[in-house]
């Protein structure tokens, strides 16, 4: 990494990092892709070939449209470029269609839309204090943050091999966070509202946004001890935030409200009849719970304490729309997971309300909300760990204690994504790249963070 820093020079290192990872993404084009490739091809076909009134009803493929309307319009826009590559990919009945031109378009669409992620990382770097950094480029917090985000190993696996658009969506989230650091609260609120209507998984971190904006934006002043000055509440600011949420929601959901299709849209967005665990288990509390139930059921069958005919036939890991009942332990409902998630979030949200601590306090609350939802949410995908890993990168370049937490989180989180690499070539090559990159960045991150921590005044 040091040699890389010298080679890139002082002012062009960010462009070199962005260009380098873009070239790597291009090299990953021929790698395998998951069923998500067909999912998004089908959504291109639905939005291009059918009227809006049929988007959330169409069910020729099992991979029905189940993202919010803004993402549907995003697919619609992409489809008008896709038709110049291969018109056949836009046929709803061409299930599992994957021509070479389709592959190129889909892969390049992810790479191209990652431009927003690159811009968001650049804006986040402006929020990092680099005055106490070392002389070497690899010790500068801005360089380390850029490398951690732009070259994030999880995003490379999930987006550019497995196939999704998490970089584009994460860019919206990081840009909204950067706007809060820049005290541009209205822009940050607008970007997050837009993000929610692209992918509703970000509802998990909405409590952090809501409480922070109410506490630090709608209340314009604090007492000397940091408590709320109640007479500083601004109704104008609250109404402004409400208008942002209302207008964005109206633009997104308005057409479907006019068509009396909101119940159908919400039934697609929140399919609570899916199993407690995703087809590939995320390493959370419910994975342990379900595994323990399985162990108890095996023991019960061996000891003849359970009737084999009464063992549930549905699989908790199929990922299909079906009900599943645990054998020995009490079955878990969506409401139970919601309550557990809410309880896990409450301490961080309470601290954000009582002791806001500025944008960094908000960022910590956002990360804890993301981790709470990952640990206790319903039907959690393994990829959801990126919702916490990416924002944690911003904190990791500030203090040694945050750096140590980040190293544990990113190591375990990315390791849990390795089963997404199905074939041997990707496993071997990506493991070597990830190991070398992670080891080098981890050492540079640790040196920089210790240096920053030792130079910071007590209590900062």
């Amino acid at each position: 990494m040091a040699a890389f820093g010298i080679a890139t020079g002082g002012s062009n290192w960010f462009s070199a990092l962005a260009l380098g990872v873009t070239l790597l993404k291009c090299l990953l084009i021929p790698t395998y892709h998951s069923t998500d490739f067909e999912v998004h091809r089908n959504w291109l076909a639905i939005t291009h070939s059918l009227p809006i009134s049929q988007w959330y009803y169409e069910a020729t493929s099992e991979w029905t449209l189940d993202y919010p309307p803004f993402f549907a319009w995003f697919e619609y826009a992409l489809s008008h470029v896709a038709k110049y590559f291969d018109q056949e990919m836009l046929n709803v009945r061409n299930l599992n269609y994957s021509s070479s031109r389709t592959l190129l378009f889909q892969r390049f669409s992810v790479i191209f839309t990652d431009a927003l992620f690159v811009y968001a990382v650049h804006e986040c770097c402006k929020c990092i204090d680099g005055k106490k950094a070392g002389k070497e480029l690899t010790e500068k917090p801005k360089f380390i943050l850029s490398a951690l985000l732009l070259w994030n190993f999880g995003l490379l696996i999930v987006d550019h091999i497995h196939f999704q658009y998490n970089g584009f969506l994460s860019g919206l989230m990081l840009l909204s966070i950067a706007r809060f650091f820049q005290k541009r609260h209205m822009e940050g609120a607008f970007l997050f509202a837009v993000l929610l209507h692209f992918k509703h998984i970000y509802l998990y971190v909405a409590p952090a946004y809501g409480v922070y904006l109410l506490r630090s934006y709608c209340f314009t002043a604090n007492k000397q001890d940091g408590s709320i000055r109640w007479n500083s509440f601004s109704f104008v600011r609250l109404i402004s935030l409400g208008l942002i949420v209302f207008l964005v929601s109206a633009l997104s959901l308005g057409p479907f409200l006019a068509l009396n299709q909101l119940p159908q849209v919400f039934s697609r967005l929140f399919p609570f009849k899916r199993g407690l665990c995703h087809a590939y288990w995320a390493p959370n509390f419910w994975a342990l719970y379900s595994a323990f139930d399985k162990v108890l059921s095996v023991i019960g069958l061996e000891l003849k304490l359970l009737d084999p005919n009464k063992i549930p036939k549905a699989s908790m890991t199929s990922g299909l729309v079906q009900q599943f009942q645990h054998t020995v332990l009490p079955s878990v409902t969506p409401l139970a997971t919601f309550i557990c998630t809410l309880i896990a979030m409450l301490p961080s949200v309470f601290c954000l309300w009582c002791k806001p601590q500025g944008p960094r306090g908000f960022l910590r609350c956002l990360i804890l909300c993301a981790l709470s939802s990952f640990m206790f949410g319903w039907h959690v995908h393994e990829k959801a760990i990126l919702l916490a890993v990416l924002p944690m990168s911003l904190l990791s370049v500030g203090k040694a204690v945050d750096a140590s937490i980040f190293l544990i989180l990113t190591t375990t989180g990315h390791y849990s994504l390795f089963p997404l690499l199905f074939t041997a070539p990707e496993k071997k090559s990506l493991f070597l790249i990830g190991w070398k990159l992670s080891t080098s960045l981890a050492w540079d991150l640790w040196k920089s963070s210790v240096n920053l921590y030792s130079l910071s005044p007590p209590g900062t």
Side-chain angles (χ1 to χ4, degrees), residues 175-288:
L175 192 56
S176 72
I177 293 172
R179 293 300 182 242
F180 285 166
F181 274 86
Q182 297 163 358
K183 300 187 184 304
R184 296 155 67 176
H185 296 87
M186 294 290 284
E187 289 183 43
F190 171 75
L191 289 168
F192 183 68
V194 169
L195 177 60
L196 285 179
H197 288 274
F198 267 100
K199 192 170 184 179
H200 50 304
I201 191 176
Y202 292 95
L203 278 170
Y204 287 137
V205 298
Y209 276 87
V211 171
Y212 176 73
L213 286 169
L214 181 63
R215 178 65 175 82
S216 299
Y217 181 68
C218 293
F219 285 94
T220 58
N222 295 325
K223 295 180 181 178
Q224 291 184 348
D225 60 359
S227 59
I228 299 176
R229 189 181 296 277
W230 292 97
N231 60 2
S232 69
F233 183 75
S234 172
F235 282 100
V236 174
R237 291 190 174 189
L238 179 63
I239 293 172
S240 299
L241 291 174
L243 280 175
I244 287 176
V245 175
F246 173 77
L247 292 176
V248 171
S249 300
L251 183 61
S252 172
L253 300 174
F256 300 96
L257 178 62
L259 293 169
N260 293 319
Q261 291 185 359
L262 278 188
Q264 175 64 19
V265 173
F266 289 137
S267 69
R268 286 284 183 86
L269 299 184
F270 303 100
F272 289 120
K273 290 185 179 180
R274 289 182 179 175
L276 173 65
C277 298
H278 183 47
Y280 164 51
W281 286 8
N284 62 5
F285 177 80
W286 303 121
L288 296 175

Side-chain angles (χ1 to χ4, degrees), residues 430-460:
L430 265 294
F431 177 79
L432 291 175
I433 293 172
W435 180 79
K436 292 182 68 175
L437 182 64
S438 299
T439 303
S440 180
L441 284 177
W443 177 246
D444 291 333
L445 169 64
W446 181 258
K447 289 193 300 181
S448 178
S449 299
V450 170
N451 185 35
L452 284 170
Y453 186 68
S454 62
L455 293 175
S456 300
T460 60

Side-chain angles (χ1 to χ4, degrees), residues 306-381:
L306 297 175
D307 183 358
N309 297 322
K310 295 183 179 180
I311 300 296
K313 301 299 182 183
S315 171
M316 73 179 76
T317 61
S318 68
L320 300 177
V321 178
Q322 60 177 335
Q323 298 282 357
F324 175 81
Q325 300 293 321
H326 287 90
T327 305
V328 179
L329 298 176
S331 294
V332 181
T333 64
L335 178 60
T337 63
F338 174 77
I339 293 174
C340 291
T341 302
L342 184 62
I343 292 173
M345 288 181 180
L346 280 177
S348 59
V349 172
F350 179 78
C351 288
L352 183 63
W353 175 263
C354 295
K355 298 179 180 179
Q357 298 179 350
R360 289 192 176 276
F362 155 74
L363 188 55
R364 292 182 187 279
C365 182
L366 182 149
I367 294 166
L368 289 171
C369 286
L371 289 174
S372 298
S373 65
F374 183 81
M375 290 302 297
F376 298 105
W378 176 266
H379 197 73
V380 176
H381 290 223

Side-chain angles (χ1 to χ4, degrees), residues 35-57:
T35 54
D36 282 326
F37 183 88
E38 168 62 14
V39 169
H40 289 282
R41 187 216 59 82
N42 185 55
W43 293 359
L44 286 172
I46 290 173
T47 55
H48 184 84
S49 306
L50 301 176
I52 186 175
S53 60
Q54 297 181 32
W55 285 3
Y56 286 93
Y57 282 95

